[in-house]
Amino acid sequence: CTTFDVRKSPKLRVFIAITAVLLPYLMVQINILSCSGGHGMSFLESLSLMNIDEHLTCSDPNYIIISGILCFFILALFIKINPLLKIIFMFVISMGHVLVMELTHKSLFAKFDSTVHSFIPTDVYGILAFVMFLLGFSLQNREQEWTLRLDYLWKSQAAEEKAGMQELQRQNSRILCNLLPEHVANHFLNLQSTNHMELYSQQYNKVAVFFASIPNFSDFYVELAANNQGVECLRVLNEIIADFDELLDMPYFYGVEKIKTIGSCYMAATGLKPTHLVKGWEDSVAFYLTMVVDFVMAMKEKLRNINENSYNNFELRVGINVGPVVAGVIGARKPQYDIWGNTVNVASRMESTGVPGKIQVTEEVYSILKNVFTFECRGKVQVKGKGDMITYFLKDRIAPRDPNCILPPDTPPNSPHASGTPDCRFVKMLLITVCNSRYLRSVFFNPWTAEKV
């Protein structure tokens, strides 16, 4: 077997076509020239007489005409080459046979005409037959070329439409993955049923949820002619949310899933992705809660940079809680992915009753992260629907996070760690091979990853 494709070599195809035509034509001409009774090649005639080949007596000169027309069929029907080249070949074949008929074998045609008393000389209607077949095959070749070109255009159009459909499908998948989490989007893309009303829901035992709002953005938003009726204010808010979304692409925050934004309030959670589920043991819960806090710290750093560049004083008011939730998709048109449960309600209350610039957490979060972060007890807070709850302000880390620990493991660590972070030995081995990447360099020099978290 060979991988060589003759279709990709036009010169080789033309050479094969010429050979396929010339070989039968030369055989026919040699056979005709060796006919006894004509004035062909003397050594061929002597050879035929020596061997007493009776089939070379050429008693019927129509054989010469028919053999030439058969060469036309070989060239016109079975060889796909340039139509102009075909016509040239057929013209050469016609002229070759006409020369044989009029020069070397004229006496055979005259003898045959005197025998059958033909009204029209045989060589004349032979020439006419060659002309008619030449014109007919030329039109047939033209039609064949037109059909092949049209077929090529149809195939090209079909290939372009197929590529366009595939690109459209990829774009739809990207849009769907922007509207829904990746694992939820894959669920609907792989769904065989066409029923759009089918409910998707998933229950989780432990999920860390946070709400982060910018309470003083409402004071910043003013509809004036100077800011294009508030459009410039919305542009600032969009830049803030877009900067927050950039954090989701960092490998360390792959476990964080953005739920939605409500005005200037940003809602996200960890423990929803199938590859980053919170396990039942304490270290697993601490690991993903730590990830949430690190994400909030990164958001605060992003907002601080925006304030420095835009001369604003935006502050984040954050509320964090952990517990069971139910996730699902609501709506057959413009579907919305959301999470529900008492855990979400309490996290929202932690944010709404919080203080700008601080992170308010529940007592359960405090009990899990008290060995990782420093806290300030706020005391009892009146929470709507819950009564009095003891809450805490999360302040800072007890010990700085290892800046090399960028990529968390797919599953939480099984053994306890003093700093509440996973074992980073495998990450350090990975960094040896990829430390020159621009992205990792940007992470190393990010101040919150090395110092402030």
Side-chain angles (χ1 to χ4, degrees), residues 33-52:
L33 292 174
S34 62
C35 285
S36 60
H39 301 285
M41 297 182 181
S42 57
F43 76 93
L44 290 176
E45 293 181 7
S46 61
L47 183 63
S48 62
L49 293 174
M50 185 185 304
N51 294 329
I52 316 177

Side-chain angles (χ1 to χ4, degrees), residues 171-329:
Q171 291 179 359
N172 292 338
S173 299
R174 286 195 294 268
I175 294 173
L176 186 60
C177 289
N178 285 331
L179 295 175
L180 302 174
E182 185 177 358
H183 64 281
V184 180
N186 291 332
H187 167 78
F188 285 103
L189 290 174
N190 298 329
L191 194 64
Q192 299 296 329
S193 174
T194 58
N195 183 14
H196 299 288
M197 299 302 294
E198 185 172 345
L199 177 66
Y200 171 84
S201 63
Q202 186 71 38
Q203 188 171 5
Y204 299 90
N205 294 327
K206 283 289 184 181
V207 171
V209 184
F210 78 87
F211 287 82
S213 67
I214 307 174
N216 56 343
F217 181 80
S218 57
D219 300 331
F220 170 76
Y221 181 80
V222 180
E223 294 183 358
L224 297 174
N227 61 10
N228 196 13
Q229 299 299 324
V231 173
E232 298 302 323
C233 298
L234 294 179
R235 192 187 306 277
V236 173
L237 178 60
N238 180 66
E239 292 178 359
I240 294 173
I241 300 300
D243 285 351
F244 292 166
D245 290 342
E246 286 181 358
L247 297 172
L248 298 172
D249 295 329
M250 297 178 62
Y252 180 64
F253 296 131
Y254 277 174
V256 179
E257 184 69 64
K258 177 184 175 182
I259 305 300
K260 59 184 175 182
T261 55
I262 309 170
S264 62
C265 184
Y266 195 95
M267 177 186 177
T270 59
L272 297 174
K273 295 183 178 181
T275 56
H276 293 79
L277 293 176
V278 180
K279 306 300 180 181
W281 51 82
E282 183 179 351
D283 279 348
S284 174
V285 181
F287 174 80
Y288 285 101
L289 264 177
T290 302
M291 185 187 297
V292 165
V293 176
D294 288 341
F295 189 85
V296 172
M297 295 291 188
M299 292 174 64
K300 294 178 69 174
E301 184 63 30
K302 287 279 189 181
L303 191 61
R304 187 179 299 111
N305 294 334
I306 292 175
N307 288 336
E308 292 177 357
N309 295 325
S310 62
Y311 303 101
N312 289 306
N313 59 344
F314 296 130
E315 289 184 304
L316 278 182
R317 186 176 65 192
V318 184
I320 302 176
N321 190 26
V322 63
V325 301
V326 175
V329 177

Side-chain angles (χ1 to χ4, degrees), residues 6-79:
V6 69
R7 295 175 298 179
K8 297 181 179 180
S9 179
K11 294 182 179 180
L12 181 60
R13 287 192 293 113
V14 171
F15 174 76
I16 295 175
I18 294 174
T19 305
V21 173
L22 287 181
L23 285 179
Y25 175 70
L26 291 176
M27 292 174 61
V28 168
Q29 286 289 56
I30 292 173
N31 198 19
I32 293 173
L33 292 174
S34 62
C35 285
S36 60
H39 301 285
M41 297 182 181
S42 57
F43 76 93
L44 290 176
E45 293 181 7
S46 61
L47 183 63
S48 62
L49 293 174
M50 185 185 304
N51 294 329
I52 316 177
D53 292 333
E54 296 181 356
H55 69 281
L56 297 178
T57 55
C58 295
S59 58
D60 189 352
N62 287 319
Y63 166 77
I64 300 175
I65 302 173
I66 296 174
S67 62
I69 294 175
L70 286 178
C71 291
F72 280 6
F73 278 99
I74 296 175
L75 181 63
L77 299 180
F78 303 105
I79 305 298

